[in-house]
Amino acid sequence: MSDESHPAPLLNPLPWAVWLLTLAIAGVELVLWAGAHGLVNWAGSAGWRAQALVAFGISPELQGWMWESRQYPPEGLWRYLVYGFVHLGPMQAALVVVITAALGKACAERLGSLRVLVLLTLAQAAGGVAFGLVADPGAWLIGGYPIIFALAGAYAALMGTRPALFLVAVLVVARLGLTALAGGGMDWLADLTALGIGAALARVLDGPILERLRQR
């Protein structure tokens, strides 16, 4: 028998939902970065990032207007689904991609890709709503931090191990510490809301729990 081992793959296999998320985040950032650095010669490309903030970001003024007027136009609602794919710069986007790939792989292997997408969609939207309720006028919420916090909450809830819980504690302390040191608005509330919703939904969507609920 041959002892020759198969070469390791260049890229670890990822569930399709994780590929979808990471490629979408990286693709949007690449387009915005190219526009800002003059690699795209389209009119207004240098201002694409600022335009994306206004077009896709969560605004407390817009949310307040929708609730008071009871009008929910699609261009207002879809922000809660897409604001996590636009970032303030490449470093922020890269961090979100790396953590999404790591935690998303573990969560999707347990829950399945479709359930992870449902979890992240609801957790991200909840984070946006929480931000819109308390943020000061003129503030904007953009970026994928709620996505990685939702994944962290889901990971801790699914694994239930000390390392998983320690990871969540580190993320929370780091997030609050960054806010205390660097200042900023209420973005942290969106992150912690997404973390809590992610943990709760992971428990609900986990296969064994759903099976027990059906048996009752």
Side-chain angles (χ1 to χ4, degrees), residues 3-214:
D3 294 332
E4 183 179 355
S5 60
H6 296 287
L10 294 178
L11 293 175
N12 290 328
L14 295 174
W16 64 264
V18 181
W19 277 117
L20 179 65
L21 290 168
T22 54
L23 290 177
I25 294 170
V28 170
E29 179 56 35
L30 179 61
V31 171
L32 297 180
W33 181 86
H37 289 78
L39 301 180
V40 180
N41 294 322
W42 294 346
S45 58
W48 280 351
R49 195 179 298 276
Q51 295 169 21
L53 171 65
V54 175
F56 305 129
I58 302 297
S59 163
E61 290 95 337
L62 177 58
Q63 179 171 298
W65 172 83
M66 288 193 295
W67 285 23
E68 291 174 3
S69 66
R70 297 185 180 180
Q71 299 182 46
Y72 304 96
E75 59 269 23
L77 293 178
W78 84 313
R79 295 167 180 263
Y80 296 88
L81 306 180
V82 300
Y83 74 87
F85 295 91
V86 181
H87 294 83
L88 298 177
M91 293 301 295
Q92 184 188 29
L95 177 63
V96 172
V97 165
V98 170
I99 298 180
T100 297
L103 295 179
K105 182 178 187 294
C107 293
E109 288 176 346
R110 174 72 175 265
L111 294 176
S113 286
L114 186 57
R115 289 178 182 176
V116 165
L117 289 181
V118 171
L119 182 151
L120 291 179
T121 298
L122 295 177
Q124 178 181 248
V129 171
F131 172 85
L133 287 173
V134 300
D136 294 330
W140 291 92
L141 175 65
I142 206 78
Y145 286 168
I147 292 177
I148 62 178
F149 272 82
L151 286 172
Y155 178 76
L158 293 171
M159 302 306 168
T161 62
R162 287 185 179 180
L165 297 175
F166 179 74
L167 171 64
V168 171
V170 169
L171 284 175
V172 171
V173 171
R175 186 66 179 93
L176 296 178
L178 180 63
T179 300
L181 293 175
M186 301 300 296
D187 299 35
W188 60 270
L189 181 60
D191 300 339
L192 298 190
T193 300
L195 185 148
I197 297 296
L201 288 176
R203 298 294 293 169
V204 172
L205 296 173
D206 192 20
I209 293 180
L210 287 178
E211 186 61 30
R212 288 196 294 270
L213 290 175
R214 293 192 189 99

